[in-house]
Amino acid sequence: MPGTPKRTMSRRTVIGAGLITAAAAGAGYRVASHQRFDGSELSVRDAFEAAQAGDVVLVDIRTPEEWRETGVGQGAHPIDMRRSDFIAALDSLTGARKHAPVALICARGVRSARLGRALVNAGYTNIVNVPEGMLGSRAGPGWIASGLPVTSYEG
């Protein structure tokens, strides 16, 4: 369907998600076993284009220090995932629609995957991870190295 983020789930993604889930559980994070982040992903370029087209709400979940250091990807909404009112801030962006497409980006895709699972457990049904992140990962070079536009953060 045009305008819909493509969903991919490779064997590597399934194995990686299992390893991340095990590591998160081992680190004391609460992970519900009956629901999990479904592995939906976008490349940084696709996330940028989808955000520009209004097809997804792109949320940069890093910290204000990180935003000041690198800037925020153009079209992304900076919401620190550590905020106690994160869900309320996300709801204000999506009109409290739990089915709205939300793409999460962090530095290297780890925190966004973890938060994606938590949001699915909280009832969100269309969460997408941007695993390259701003700085790059095994998934790809990342937003900055891909030459995608950033805006400075002065907050």
Side-chain angles (χ1 to χ4, degrees), residues 20-94:
I20 290 168
T21 301
Y29 293 100
R30 188 169 176 221
V31 178
S33 61
H34 65 283
Q35 290 184 323
R36 64 174 179 77
F37 179 62
D38 72 2
S40 300
E41 296 178 349
L42 283 174
S43 70
V44 289
R45 187 159 309 281
D46 288 344
F48 169 68
E49 291 172 2
Q52 295 300 306
D55 294 333
V56 300
V57 175
L58 179 60
V59 181
D60 185 333
I61 63 167
R62 298 175 302 146
T63 65
E65 295 80 22
E66 290 172 289
W67 301 326
R68 279 190 284 280
E69 194 173 296
T70 65
V72 175
Q74 185 177 319
H77 302 274
I79 307 175
D80 185 338
M81 72 180 280
R82 302 169 306 164
R83 284 177 50 172
S84 61
D85 67 339
F86 180 87
I87 298 276
L90 181 59
D91 283 348
S92 74
L93 287 176
T94 65

